[in-house]
Amino acid sequence: MTTGPITSRLFYLAWPLVVGNLLQTLYNLADMFWVGRVSSEAVAAVSLMFPLSWLFVSTAMGLSAATIAMVSQHVGAGNDRRADAVVGQTMLLAVAVASALAIAGYLGRHELMYLIGARGDVRVEALRYIEVIFLSLPLTFLFIAFRAALQGAGDTKTAMWLVAISAVANAVVDPFVILGVGPLPAMGVRGAAWATFGARGLAAAVGVYILLRGDWGIKLHPGDLRPDRELLAKLVDVGYPSTLDGWARSFAAVAMAGLVARFGEAATAAYGIGIRYMSVTWTVSGAVGQATATGVGQNLGAESPDRAASVAYRATAATMALLFAAGGLVWLVPATAMRIFVDDPAVVDEGVRFLRIVTIAWGFFGGLMVLQGAFRGAGSTRIAMALSLCSRWLFRIPLAVGLAFGWAITIPLLGVEIAALDWGAVGLWWAYAVGAIASFALGLVWFLRGTWTEGVIDRADEVPTDSTASGGTAGDTRSGTDPARTTETDVPDE
């Protein structure tokens, strides 16, 4: 991403991420499709658990953002062996954090069900699902770390193929374990969770093997799994704002799910299906944002801030154009889109209202996510975090409460009362759209200020290897995906 035409290189880097993320949504779409054949309570349970499970998985956002920023900038600066060291510490941190979260989540699962508003049969189904999902957290974190490492090095295709294999495996297994086929019992929502567990386990195992092989542009050295306090501290420092960012998104999603649940099962089920469609747009824009992060990081590592900015501008414009077109298509056929998953007339009617409102803002959702990717690639994760906080907690949640439930303020002395409209569930849908437009405008203004161009790597870390003595480039002796690697004995003392 540091030389040549920007648009074609960005497309080459981004399309495997887009395809991989779209395939990743098969986990959710396949689960929802087959669970919809069980009961509306099962659909509502999975809908409520989507933001809750994402609350835990989003902790890995910090790990991913830090890994992409540091690996890409080290690669851009020519020190591939230092990038390898980042990978080792990333894997170590991923397992430790995910294990702690899995234990805490499992032990507190009943309290979590109460907080999110799951009641009656929905609560029972939700527990069956989330108990297994907690067990899969370490596997999920390992795959996220693997994907971030390869992405920082500029390889996005390998992870795409691995996502494809695991997503297809999940989709194939789902009907057997959810509905029961032959000797297999019908496990309902718990079967959906076990299918996801198996698919993620497959992806994590193959991902670790690929990193150990080291033939894909980055390598996991067993010696790098020893804790390195300085490097771990750097990963945490760069990554924690993105973790807080993920939590802000997740708590907002949980809060919105809780607000929706107060309008009944039809609104909850419609919201769950509508969010699945929105997740496709997030998948596309998130993937382009990840590619943008790599492009920005490598160019800042190569000390080319103007080229880094060009990467961000072109990626943002293309993503917004694509998502506005996709939103227009869904806006035309919202009922058809809803009936793919459910036939309940009440759910379909509410889903039509949701899609008709939210699709008009899909482009703004995507534009903000790409800009946040640019900030993360630069290591300016605090700015990306601030934008998420503003998007959800300054704009969306207050609007949702005011428009859905209504409020009134009386001006002292004048006795004039100002009241917000009590629109019910429709007010929640409008909060999504208006919040997206406002937060994109804020993100664009912040990006134009240009305070993100310094990068995060310490140039003192760019220690030349023996290759520089013979006229080579600083850093590792490998180039691209060449399997020829330096050994651990080639690495100078830090």
Side-chain angles (χ1 to χ4, degrees):
M1 287 296 297
T2 58
T3 60
I6 290 176
T7 301
S8 60
R9 290 183 181 273
L10 182 64
F11 177 79
Y12 179 82
L13 188 64
W15 77 260
L17 288 168
V18 173
V19 173
N21 278 4
L22 286 173
L23 290 169
Q24 185 81 20
T25 62
L26 282 177
Y27 282 111
N28 298 323
L29 293 176
D31 287 353
M32 186 63 73
F33 179 84
W34 292 110
V35 165
R37 272 63 187 164
V38 177
S39 66
S40 60
E41 290 80 9
V43 172
V46 175
S47 299
L48 283 176
M49 290 306 97
F50 179 73
L52 182 59
S53 60
W54 176 244
L55 172 63
F56 286 84
V57 173
S58 65
T59 305
M61 283 183 62
L63 191 66
S64 177
T67 302
I68 292 170
M70 294 178 67
V71 168
S72 65
Q73 291 183 36
H74 280 302
V75 169
N79 195 342
D80 291 343
R81 183 59 186 91
R82 185 63 175 169
D84 289 348
V86 172
V87 173
Q89 296 304 297
T90 295
M91 304 300 283
L92 185 65
L93 196 58
V95 173
V97 172
S99 298
L101 287 174
I103 293 171
Y106 187 85
L107 294 177
R109 63 194 185 280
H110 294 289
E111 290 76 12
L112 289 171
M113 292 302 101
Y114 177 80
L115 291 175
I116 202 172
R119 301 290 187 269
D121 291 339
V122 173
R123 179 180 181 276
V124 173
E125 297 289 348
L127 277 172
R128 291 172 179 167
Y129 182 80
I130 202 67
E131 286 172 349
V132 179
I133 294 298
F134 281 138
L135 298 179
S136 72
L137 279 182
L139 302 174
T140 303
F141 273 50
L142 276 175
F143 181 73
I144 291 172
F146 154 78
R147 193 179 188 187
L150 262 65
Q151 181 187 323
D155 178 0
T156 54
K157 288 185 179 179
T158 302
M160 176 195 73
W161 288 114
L162 189 50
V163 170
I165 293 170
S166 60
V168 169
N170 178 77
V172 169
V173 171
D174 259 349
F176 291 91
V177 293
I178 292 175
L179 303 179
V181 176
L184 294 176
M187 292 188 285
V189 294
R190 189 181 290 272
W194 277 118
T196 299
F197 178 92
R200 289 177 177 173
L202 173 64
V206 177
V208 171
Y209 170 76
I210 287 173
L211 288 177
L212 289 171
R213 280 284 303 271
D215 295 343
W216 285 266
I218 202 79
K219 184 171 183 175
L220 174 62
H221 299 270
D224 288 337
L225 293 174
R226 291 190 297 268
D228 181 332
R229 290 186 179 181
E230 182 179 350
L231 197 47
L232 286 172
K234 187 70 170 180
L235 282 168
V236 172
D237 183 60
V238 176
Y240 85 84
S242 289
T243 292
L244 296 179
D245 180 348
W247 287 350
R249 297 183 187 196
S250 300
F251 280 121
V254 171
M256 287 296 291
L259 294 177
V260 173
R262 284 155 176 76
F263 292 98
E265 289 184 5
T268 301
Y271 174 73
I273 296 171
I275 285 293
R276 293 313 187 276
Y277 278 111
M278 287 184 67
S279 73
V280 175
T281 72
W282 296 333
T283 291
V284 173
S285 53
V288 178
Q290 290 166 357
T292 304
T294 300
V296 168
Q298 290 188 5
N299 279 287
L300 290 182
E303 301 184 7
S304 301
D306 290 341
R307 184 178 172 88
S310 295
V311 169
Y313 290 137
R314 298 190 189 193
T316 302
T319 301
M320 293 184 73
L322 176 64
L323 293 185
F324 276 130
L329 178 62
V330 176
W331 190 91
L332 292 173
V333 290
T336 302
M338 291 299 299
R339 290 193 183 100
I340 293 175
F341 296 97
V342 66
D343 292 325
D344 188 325
V347 176
V348 171
D349 289 344
E350 192 61 59
V352 167
R353 286 189 285 271
F354 178 94
L355 292 176
R356 277 278 169 86
I357 294 170
V358 174
T359 51
I360 63 177
W362 277 8
F364 295 106
F365 277 113
L368 179 64
M369 292 184 72
V370 175
L371 289 177
Q372 286 180 299
F375 285 126
R376 294 188 186 104
S380 299
T381 50
R382 290 172 179 81
I383 298 177
M385 174 192 70
L387 288 172
S388 281
L389 289 172
C390 291
S391 172
R392 289 153 179 84
W393 295 101
L394 180 62
F395 300 129
R396 184 186 303 167
I397 299 298
L399 275 173
V401 173
L403 295 177
F405 300 97
W407 49 262
I409 298 177
T410 301
I411 300 177
L413 301 178
L414 297 178
V416 177
E417 184 179 85
I418 300 176
L421 298 177
D422 184 358
W423 286 351
V426 172
L428 302 179
W429 315 152
W430 274 112
Y432 264 108
V434 176
I437 296 170
S439 56
F440 170 75
L442 177 61
L444 182 60
V445 170
W446 213 327
F447 187 82
L448 291 173
R449 293 180 63 205
T451 57
W452 48 271
T453 57
E454 294 182 1
V456 293
I457 63 173
D458 185 351
R459 296 293 169 178
D461 283 342
E462 308 306 326
V463 184
T465 63
D466 293 340
S467 61
T468 57
S470 59
T473 59
D476 214 329
T477 58
R478 69 183 181 270
S479 174
T481 56
D482 189 339
R485 310 286 306 207
T486 55
T487 63
E488 291 186 62
T489 58
D490 293 325
V491 182
D493 292 336
E494 297 293 351

